[in-house]
Every structure is written in structure tokens, then in C-alpha cells.
Amino acid sequence: MSRPPAPPASGSDAFAYPVGLRLSGRRVVVLGGGQVAQRRLPALLAAGARVTLVSPSATPSVEAMADAGELTWERRRYADGDLADAWYAVVATRDPEANAAASAEAERRRVWCVRSDDASAATAWTPATGRSEGVTVAVLTGSDPRRSAAVRDAVVEGLRDGTLSAPHHRTRVPGVALVGGGPGDPDLITVRGRRLLAEADVVIADRLGPRDLLDELPPYVEVIDAAKIPYGRAMAQQAINDALIGHARAGRAVVRLKGGDPFVFGRGMEEAEALAAAGVACTVVPGVTSAISVPAAAGVPVTHRGVAHEFTVVSGHVAPDDERSLVDWPALARLRGTLVLLMAVERIGAIAETLVREGRDPGTPVAVVQEGTTAAQRRVDATLATAAAAVERAAVRPPAVIVVGEVAARPAG
């Protein structure tokens, strides 16, 4: 019979075979209660291991784990036989002789053993690990733990922010995510929104969403421009609802990508209600609203100590004298704080006249920010008395956010 090969004299140059240990309910021995144990114990406990700690002393955090009954602490030095019936061992004492003896016992008992003082003498290495959305990332680079940590951090961060695409396949549940894409700059979408976008099969996008992100999608993702859905303006929302429901029922992961926040003049609730009525799972991902972020990008705070203690966000898509308007314009004119107008470029003249007529000072500063947070951002300053003429003279076009109030007198950032 052939004999098994002898273990290598040094493991530092040998290729390590990666494997995930399922330690739930299995005995794990940790020797030493210092900083190494403090770092390793949480993951072992999270894996469900039955941990025995052998050490005369321990850090306060490790001691707290023992006091909470999360592990068994034997307050003494290592002794031969401590690794009996163990599946895995972490050797991390300050005594090199004890570490060597424990490593030798692990070899005899065929227990995989990690050594903090001498990786070359260990039979196992602890990878740099991280977790994101149910994925465990483990990186080994042999004798360069800092590089392992750097690679791990890059991968985990990519998974979290969606720049590294790792879509679910077996466990993915079809449905719709209403994602707020932020004011336009692709860096201002939320981490969760970007991750869901990276996992989508279908993306139905508004023209005000972060368009640059669409170019990053894999070629198999179907991108539907919501502005071009047929049946005309009056039927557009129903057509969008039908598209969301149809693709989700076909088993696809759908992202409805909106500008700003889906529930701030984004008709997100209408879509959520339609999905609920159709029995389609819906996730709402809040976004950075342009009402606050666009003024901030142009150096205008919507509140400022001693200047404005309140701000009100108003849709200007209908004129003040329109019977469809739900806005109490006389009440707004009496407020002393900041007024943020969205979708108001075409009606700024009528809005300004109404505010002045109802009592707002015609000299109130106004800042108009077009295409805020994008490379095309520009700011036009005026007053309520001159706003309409300034917007026309500068040929301001939507999308733009209009800020009315003393905060607009702040110098541009």
C-alpha cells in the first residue's frame, strides 16, 4: 500500500485549498483571549460553533462573550488534550512553546489549526472575510494579510454599491423595486438602489433618472424609456403600471428608476398601489430628493441658523389660479421660511405674482438651479419681482429647482 504524502515542511509557499467550514454545533477550541481571539470569536459564534476558550485572561469584550454564555471559558493555560474532539482550532497565545505544542497536538488529532504567530506552521489560514446581502467574501493571499484585506474590502464595497454585479439566480424573487435615483449625479443614488439596479432584468427609467448608470448595465438587461411608452400622455401612467406588472408576472426582477425620491412628486404611490392591487411584490427604495440636494449643490441651504427655520416643498406643475391646484398660496406667502418650487419653470411668473400679491416682499431673493448636480448645472439669481424675466432671459429649461427666501441670498458655493 502507498503511504500518504508527508505534510510540507513549510506551508507559506503552498497553494491553500479554499473551503467553507460548517461549524454549527461542532466543537472549536480557541487558545488565548487577546486581540486575535476578540477578532475571530464573533464569526465563529455567528457560525454556531460550540466554542471553548482556554486562556488565563481575556480582553473585556471576550470576557463579556463568556459572561453572556456565548462560549465556555476555561481560565488556565493550554494543556495537552485540550483539542480532543475539536473540529477546528485557533492558536493565539503569547507563548511560542504553547503554540507549537498545540499545533503539534492538532496535527496528531487531524484538527485544522490556525496559528497567529506562525502562518507557515499552520494547517489552515484565516481569510480576510466580509459579507454583503447573504454573500460571504473570503480572500487569501498567503503571507500578505493586508493585501487580503484590501481585496476583500474592494469586493464587498462593489457588492454593496452595485458596481460589482452579482445577481441572484436561484433565490431571486420576481417583483418591482421603485428606486429613487437621486437628482442626476450617478454617485448620488443610494447604495441599495444601485445594487438592485445591478441585479435587474428590466429597468423602466424616467428621463430625470441618473442616465449614466444605464450604460453600466449588462447587455441582457432590457431598458425601457418610460417617456416613450405609447398611448399618449393621458395614458402614460397606466401604460407604465401595465409594463411593471407584466414584466414582474413574467418572472423578471424589475427596477422602476425615478429621479429624486419616488414619493416626492414621483407618482411612486400610484405605482405601488397598482402593484399591490395586482398582487406583485414591491420594494420602495427612497432617493435623494432634488428639493434639498440641488439647492445644496448650488450653495443654497434650505435652512440656515437665524435666517430660515422651516422649508416648504411645492409642486408648480399647475398655476396658482388653476382649479386643480391643491396649494394654499396665500398661506405660503405668509410664511417666513424657505419655499422650494419643483416643476415650476414654466409658471414662475404666475407663482411670483401670486406670492407678492398675497404679501411676500417682491425683493425676496430667488435662486434658480438648472440640471443640478450634473455637469450642466447652472444657477440664475433674481428676486420675486425679477424672477420671470431672469428665467426667460437666461433661457432656463426644466429640470430646475427654484428656491425662494433669504437663504437664496447666500453666496454661491
Side-chain angles (χ1 to χ4, degrees), residues 102-406:
S103 182
E105 181 186 352
E107 187 73 30
R108 291 196 314 270
R109 296 183 182 276
R110 298 186 180 182
V111 176
W112 294 111
C113 175
V114 173
R115 283 187 61 171
S116 64
D117 63 334
D118 188 356
S120 65
T123 54
W125 293 333
T126 301
T129 59
R131 292 170 181 83
S132 175
E133 289 294 300
V135 176
T136 297
V137 177
V139 180
L140 285 172
T141 55
S143 58
D144 193 348
R146 290 188 179 182
R147 187 184 182 204
S148 297
V151 174
R152 172 208 56 199
D153 291 344
V155 173
V156 171
E157 183 62 25
L159 290 172
R160 286 175 177 167
D161 66 19
T163 55
L164 180 60
S165 178
H168 296 276
H169 292 284
R170 295 184 180 178
T171 60
R172 182 170 57 179
V173 177
V176 175
L178 305 180
V179 175
D185 184 338
D187 285 343
L188 295 180
I189 190 173
T190 64
V191 170
R192 189 180 186 193
R194 188 157 190 164
R195 185 174 63 244
L196 288 172
L197 191 63
E199 297 178 353
D201 298 313
V202 178
V203 177
I204 300 178
D206 278 348
R207 68 181 184 87
L208 298 182
R211 297 172 296 177
D212 292 353
L213 293 178
L214 300 179
D215 191 46
E216 300 178 4
L217 297 174
Y220 61 80
V221 177
E222 181 178 359
V223 178
I224 300 173
D225 185 350
K228 295 182 179 179
I229 287 181
Y231 308 121
R233 296 178 63 89
M235 288 294 294
Q237 187 58 57
Q238 184 59 53
I240 291 171
N241 293 350
D242 291 344
L244 293 171
I245 294 167
H247 284 291
R249 282 180 170 172
R252 303 181 182 102
V254 183
V255 166
R256 174 72 168 103
L257 183 62
K258 296 173 171 290
D261 182 279
F263 280 6
V264 180
F265 304 132
R267 306 189 77 166
M269 194 59 193
E270 295 177 46
E271 295 171 359
E273 289 175 339
L275 292 167
V280 174
C282 175
T283 300
V284 178
V285 181
V288 177
T289 176
S290 60
I292 300 172
S293 58
V294 166
V300 180
V302 294
T303 64
H304 188 58
R305 186 172 60 174
V307 177
H309 292 175
E310 64 190 27
F311 68 94
T312 305
V313 182
V314 179
S315 169
H317 75 288
V318 294
D321 60 353
D322 192 306
E323 63 180 10
R324 297 171 298 167
S325 177
L326 302 176
V327 179
D328 187 342
W329 290 101
L332 287 181
R334 292 192 297 271
L335 295 176
R336 298 179 60 186
T338 304
L339 181 61
V340 180
L341 302 171
L342 303 183
M343 301 177 288
V345 170
E346 296 179 4
R347 296 168 183 81
I348 183 58
I351 290 173
E353 289 177 6
T354 300
L355 290 173
V356 171
R357 184 174 63 249
E358 297 296 341
R360 195 85 185 229
D361 185 347
T364 301
V366 173
V368 182
V369 186
Q370 179 178 331
E371 298 187 64
T373 77
T374 73
Q377 174 180 307
R378 63 173 176 145
R379 170 177 168 174
V380 175
D381 291 292
T383 65
L384 275 179
T386 64
V391 165
E392 182 177 1
R393 184 169 56 252
V396 175
R397 295 291 180 267
V401 175
I402 302 174
V403 183
V404 179
E406 295 303 319

